[in-house]
Amino acid sequence: MGKIPPGVGPKDPQVVVLVGATGDLSRRKLLPGLFHLSSTGFIPGCRIIGVSLDEINADAFREIAQGALGQFSTRKVKEADWAAFAETLDYVPITAGAEALQAAVHHAERKLGGNSRRVHYLSVPPNAALPAVRMLAEADLVERSRIILEKPFGTDLRSAVSLNAKLHEVFAEDQIFRIDHFLGKEAAQNILAFRFANGLFEPIWNRNFIDHVQIDVPETLGLGKRAAFYEATGAYRDMVVTHLFQILAFMAMEPPTALEPAPISEEKNKVFRSMLPLDPRDVVRGQYTGYRSEEGVDPESDTETFVALKCSIDNWRWAGVPFFLRTGKRLAEGQRIISIAFREPPKSMFPAGSGVGAQGPDHLTFDLADAAKMSLSFYGKRPGPGMRLDKLSLQFAMHETGMIGDVLEAYERLILDAMRGDHTLFTTAEGIERLWEVSIPLLEAPPPVRLYPPGAWGPKSIHQLVAPHAWRLPFERAWRDPNATGA
Ligand code: BG6
């Protein structure tokens, strides 16, 4: 990591109240992320108070944090850095109540001195968000604070509207940060750079040149220890109404007037307003075989562990262009791609058998992995006599810039932005409510779940959904290895 540029971190020290501190997300991402941000100096002083239902003390919480760093930190954890970080951790069980939490925060503030600010991070399921907000209010911790709320934000339109209203009784809108970590991914922000910092692609970024779009996020992961959360949530609420639609907005929105929160949100919300309500006939829900016998899962569960759907954005730019979205657990591969298929040429002068069009349309592909990649595929001539065409590609791998070490993990980036009060990469109440609104037909009449074997790409009916097109994954041609020298 090079020198930290000025302005990327907050000016003031921060007290973080981490609610859900012993949960899966906290251990995988939040504790390792806060450790990295603190130990590299992004935050000028930080103390963390873990809060959860677990009846443990601060030492036990430190042990959990140490275990989490050992298991999930992607960077080397130096002994001295860990010791310094451990000293900043404290813990309050929920049962100890608001007064104990207040005392812990005041203690942390005294330790930090000066004008510290508070960040409340609610890493809890939707039904636990309001009780946590009430506890913060009772503990009088709203002043000088910001609150980060994990998705999904509500479970349908009614609950999201009510959550927003109740939240506003305690926090002002500019204190609220609704997080969607896909927007913090370096590669997601690169969609904005790619589209709006270049003159090359924007003129063809519309229905006249683009045939269809796929946003495909298959995961090999299963439930882990999240059965209770997942049973009540399912793949649609966990991934689509959140991450996949947010990425779709970056891909589909009009150029914002400035790279600032209000103009960006406005353009994203226009995309959501133009989305047609989902037609349940355009949705495939799946469940992997064996899910129902997992611990914590109802033996008759109807929760989907997979969802694929077609949606439409009915505006001048996108009318008639289908957007296909797919995600699920225990699938064949873990990938996060956006694939844009261009229209084929209106006439072909190439003789039959030349191979033109034989390998599908030209594609622009974004891989949203931390080590992001992009590829533009096109037909070119195979060297030698005659005119045989092959699918070739221009590829870019972030890896090649030599700056991959500077990439902040999505949560790190967003926590830092929230600490600075920057809403640019956060979602808005209006956008979220509209997404629940387009979801109504699906939530009211969900198609039955179809079984798929673990390690597959979903139930068989996914092919009908996308026909006459085909799913881009699994890739026919693998990404080129940027380190390969070529023979
Ligand atoms: C989370 C979902 O928000 O995103 C998980 O709750 C999912 O179910 C995860 O596995 C995927 O995120 P990433 O960054 O690993 O692609």
Side-chain angles (χ1 to χ4, degrees), residues 388-471:
R388 287 279 308 159
L389 299 166
D390 277 331
K391 199 78 180 288
L392 309 174
S393 64
L394 295 167
Q395 295 192 4
F396 163 78
M398 183 70 78
H399 185 82
E400 287 161 353
T401 61
M403 292 172 73
I404 198 86
D406 287 355
V407 171
L408 283 183
E409 206 279 327
Y411 280 99
E412 295 171 356
R413 159 76 202 233
L414 294 174
I415 290 172
L416 217 48
D417 284 1
M419 286 177 170
R420 276 189 9 257
D422 182 344
H423 280 90
T424 311
L425 296 173
F426 289 83
T427 60
T428 59
E430 184 194 333
I432 289 172
E433 288 175 12
R434 171 64 189 159
L435 290 174
W436 285 122
E437 193 178 25
V438 301
S439 310
I440 289 174
L442 172 65
L443 299 182
E444 284 185 348
V449 288
R450 311 239 172 253
L451 293 180
Y452 62 94
W457 287 93
K460 291 203 184 71
S461 41
I462 54 166
H463 301 296
Q464 279 144 264
L465 177 76
V466 80
H469 316 292
W471 290 102

Side-chain angles (χ1 to χ4, degrees), residues 29 150-151 181-182 185 217 219 221 226 229-230 238-239 243 329 336 409 411:
K29 301 287 185 186
E150 257 306 322
K151 46 109 290 222
H181 81 277
F182 267 50
K185 288 182 188 282
V217 186
E219 298 185 282
L221 285 178
R226 304 165 75 214
F229 164 78
Y230 203 82
D238 185 33
M239 295 291 287
H243 306 322
K329 302 287 184 206
R336 304 173 194 102
E409 206 279 327
Y411 280 99

Side-chain angles (χ1 to χ4, degrees), residues 320-378:
V321 177
F323 285 75
F324 298 104
L325 276 47
R326 171 170 70 171
T327 185
K329 302 287 184 206
R330 304 283 305 268
L331 296 179
E333 285 175 25
Q335 292 269 0
R336 304 173 194 102
I337 66 147
I338 306 177
S339 178
I340 296 158
F342 290 96
R343 288 194 190 284
E344 303 200 20
K347 283 262 170 218
S348 177
M349 63 190 195
F350 296 96
S354 63
V356 69
Q359 288 167 286
D362 297 347
H363 280 114
L364 179 64
T365 310
F366 293 86
D367 181 332
L368 303 183
D370 286 341
K373 293 190 282 247
M374 267 180 231
S375 148
L376 179 65
S377 71
F378 56 91

